[in-house]
Amino acid sequence: MKDTNDPVEIGGASDKPAAGAEGPEELRRQIEETRSQLGDTVEELAAKADVKGRAKARGAELKDKASEAGHTVQGKAAQAGHVVQEKATEAGHVVQEKATRAGHAVQERVPQPVLNAATAVVQAGLRNPKPVLIAGAGVVVAAGLLRRRHNGHR
């Protein structure tokens, strides 16, 4: 059984004055030190008991992390967009170069009278687009019918 005169531990200090307290001034100093330690302990307990305050602090911390992650994702997306744009531009240049080469090859191999006739047809089509569209639609329908017959459908 515990004796009521035994020291009680609070924050590492005992209720009994330290051995060798000499005089009332030393005792007052020890009391003030104990009060300070007790005040610190109470503040720590109050902070732990403030669930709402801790939740707000944690929420602010998580909000900052989410914002930072959002900025990181946004930066990476912008960087990826730039890379895609650069590659598309490069691919466009390659296609344009190949088309130019193909055009030059056609010009070199096709006789001049055929080129003149093709140019005249294109210019006439640009002046009167309706007949060209109607003829194009007819070609598409005819190709579709031929394809169906070729595949065995009627």
Side-chain angles (χ1 to χ4, degrees):
M1 190 157 103
K2 250 189 160 195
D3 185 358
T4 55
N5 293 329
D6 285 346
V8 177
E9 293 288 328
I10 299 177
S14 69
D15 284 348
K16 271 189 169 180
E22 297 180 12
E25 285 303 316
E26 177 68 20
L27 189 56
R28 283 187 187 102
R29 189 194 60 73
Q30 290 176 356
I31 289 172
E32 191 57 40
E33 186 178 323
T34 303
R35 281 183 182 156
S36 176
Q37 289 173 352
L38 182 59
D40 291 344
T41 303
V42 168
E43 284 180 20
E44 288 175 15
L45 289 173
K48 287 182 179 181
D50 184 14
V51 175
K52 187 176 180 180
R54 288 185 12 212
K56 281 185 179 181
R58 180 69 175 149
E61 180 183 322
L62 292 175
K63 182 179 177 185
D64 289 344
K65 282 184 179 180
S67 176
E68 185 178 314
H71 290 300
T72 301
V73 167
Q74 190 176 19
K76 286 182 179 181
Q79 184 179 7
H82 291 302
V83 168
V84 167
Q85 187 175 13
E86 287 173 13
K87 288 186 178 187
T89 301
E90 185 179 323
H93 289 294
V94 168
V95 168
Q96 186 176 14
E97 185 180 323
K98 287 184 179 184
T100 302
R101 278 194 222 143
H104 288 281
V106 167
Q107 278 183 337
E108 290 172 1
R109 292 188 181 125
V110 175
Q112 191 61 39
V114 175
L115 285 176
N116 291 342
T119 303
V121 169
V122 169
Q123 288 175 351
L126 291 174
R127 285 191 302 266
N128 299 312
K130 284 185 183 178
V132 174
L133 292 174
I134 291 170
V139 169
V140 169
V141 169
L145 290 174
L146 289 173
R147 188 173 183 179
R148 285 186 74 182
R149 281 195 181 170
H150 179 70
N151 290 335
H153 296 94
R154 291 189 178 199

